[in-house]
Amino acid sequence: MADAYCSDCKRSTEVVFDHSAGDTVCSECGLVLEAHSIDETSEWRTFANESGDNDPVRVGGPSNPLLTDGGLSTVISKPNGASGDFLSSSLGRWQNRGSNPDRSLIQAFKTIATMSDRLGLVATIKDRANEIYKKVEDQKSIRGRNQDAILAACLYIACRQEDKPRTVKEICSVANGATKKEIGRAKEYIVKQMEIELGQSMEMGTIHAGDFLRRFCSHLGMTNQAVKAAQEAVQKSEELDIRRSPISVAAAVIYMITQLSEEKKLLRDISIATGVAEGTIRNSYKDLYPYAVRLIPTWYAKEEELRNLCSP
């Protein structure tokens, strides 16, 4: 309720707003002070009586420039309570007869979106993976190839280009059965095709051990102090000539840091969290061990503790 001047009561009285009729009514005498007023605020309500979730959305999805019709085509959905033979009905048959050139693209984009969600990736990486797949699909050169491996490789390349790299094993875990070897071959094939189209080398971004470190430490439940020490150690390791992959260096640094803490981690647990084989972590640790005094921050461990660090 609100106060307004009523010409019938000759004083300020409380008024009631009748939203259905758009009238402002005096609560004392019932005089309609204002009729058919327009409410210009947003109207958040559902117009579908049969909707069970009361979704207030008033518009459809955003347009997709990668699709022929912009993704704005109309699709007849299965009605509530309909039986499983809806597609055999008249509406379903007419919908199936319509040729949708983007049907395979839509399915591929849905698969990429599912993999991105399972990995917790941001929307920019998903959109970049869609663009990469669209360019490769336009060349009509992926027919007969492993579709799951192609989609996983597009996502892997997108992560690299957006400076949010994921390991091949992480991508493989959501790739619907595609193996690490198949994804690697698909990645090489896509890069080759893109370079042919662009006429120049394809930028993939540089991988650093620090790109994986915080995520690996989170999987192991390490303390903030240990994570900070590991980050400093990884940064210093880039100044050294360590002939190991960044992922192996990150795993070896984590193993070294945890050996100096009260909550030591088993080599097996580090291998599971990082996806690096135990033997590879052990060999990488051997390469880093001579530089332990330079890598480990002094505030985290004293020099005596570093010298007493277990040898590989």
Side-chain angles (χ1 to χ4, degrees):
M1 292 185 178
D3 293 337
Y5 181 80
C6 179
S7 58
D8 193 12
C9 298
K10 305 299 183 182
R11 62 188 176 89
S12 297
T13 61
E14 290 185 346
V15 295
V16 178
F17 295 99
D18 185 358
H19 295 281
S20 60
D23 296 339
T24 303
V25 184
C26 175
S27 60
E28 298 290 339
C29 62
L31 178 67
V32 178
L33 302 179
E34 185 178 357
H36 304 295
S37 58
I38 299 176
D39 185 4
E40 297 181 355
T41 59
S42 300
E43 182 180 23
W44 295 108
R45 68 184 182 90
T46 179
F47 285 84
N49 295 329
E50 66 275 7
S51 177
D53 54 1
N54 294 324
D55 185 7
V57 175
R58 296 286 304 277
V59 297
S63 61
N64 190 343
L66 300 179
L67 301 177
T68 303
D69 56 3
L72 301 178
S73 59
T74 301
V75 178
I76 304 173
S77 63
K78 182 177 179 179
N80 293 336
S83 58
D85 59 349
F86 168 70
L87 293 179
S88 63
S89 63
S90 58
L91 288 178
R93 286 197 301 271
W94 281 108
Q95 179 172 297
N96 283 338
R97 289 176 184 176
S99 59
N100 186 358
D102 296 327
R103 183 175 300 175
S104 61
L105 270 180
I106 294 174
Q107 184 60 40
F109 293 165
K110 287 181 179 180
T111 304
I112 291 176
T114 301
M115 291 191 295
S116 300
D117 292 341
R118 292 176 62 184
L119 289 174
L121 303 178
V122 295
T124 53
I125 296 178
K126 180 193 69 175
D127 295 339
R128 176 61 65 87
N130 290 342
E131 293 176 4
I132 295 173
Y133 179 80
K134 171 65 174 176
K135 291 180 180 179
V136 176
E137 200 271 343
D138 286 343
Q139 298 180 3
K140 306 298 182 182
S141 58
I142 59 176
R143 293 179 179 177
R145 295 184 176 272
N146 189 328
Q147 181 75 357
D148 293 328
I150 292 291
L151 295 174
C154 291
L155 192 60
Y156 174 82
I157 296 172
C159 291
R160 291 278 299 269
Q161 291 183 343
E162 293 294 326
D163 295 328
K164 301 293 182 182
R166 293 295 188 272
T167 65
V168 178
K169 285 190 176 181
E170 288 179 298
I171 300 294
C172 185
S173 65
V174 297
N176 297 328
T179 64
K180 180 180 177 181
K181 187 175 183 180
E182 291 172 340
I183 295 175
R185 289 177 177 175
K187 187 260 293 184
E188 297 296 333
Y189 173 77
I190 292 173
V191 171
K192 182 179 179 181
Q193 294 298 317
M194 295 292 290
E195 289 179 348
I196 294 176
E197 180 184 1
L198 298 175
Q200 59 184 7
S201 60
M202 183 179 180
E203 293 293 335
M204 290 280 290
T206 304
I207 295 179
H208 301 280
D211 297 331
F212 309 94
L213 188 69
R214 180 170 289 276
R215 191 166 64 257
F216 292 163
C217 293
S218 177
H219 294 334
L220 290 166
M222 296 171 57
T223 62
N224 293 334
Q225 188 178 18
V227 173
K228 184 178 179 181
Q231 288 178 322
E232 292 188 20
V234 161
Q235 291 177 356
K236 294 178 182 179
S237 69
E238 294 182 355
E239 302 173 359
L240 306 175
D241 186 18
I242 305 297
R243 305 294 178 88
R244 295 287 176 179
S245 69
I247 303 174
S248 300
V249 172
V253 167
I254 291 175
Y255 178 73
M256 184 180 296
I257 292 293
T258 55
Q259 294 306 304
L260 295 170
S261 64
E262 296 180 357
E263 299 180 357
K264 293 180 172 59
K265 303 295 182 182
L266 297 177
L267 187 63
R268 178 184 58 189
D269 296 336
I270 298 176
S271 175
I272 294 174
T274 61
V276 182
E278 294 183 24
T280 304
I281 298 177
R282 191 177 292 107
N283 292 332
S284 300
Y285 175 70
K286 290 180 181 179
D287 295 340
L288 292 176
Y289 180 77
Y291 309 98
V293 177
R294 296 172 54 183
L295 295 177
I296 308 300
T298 55
W299 57 263
Y300 185 76
K302 297 180 180 179
E303 187 172 347
E304 294 181 359
E305 295 176 337
L306 295 177
R307 296 189 184 280
N308 293 331
L309 185 65
C310 59
S311 60

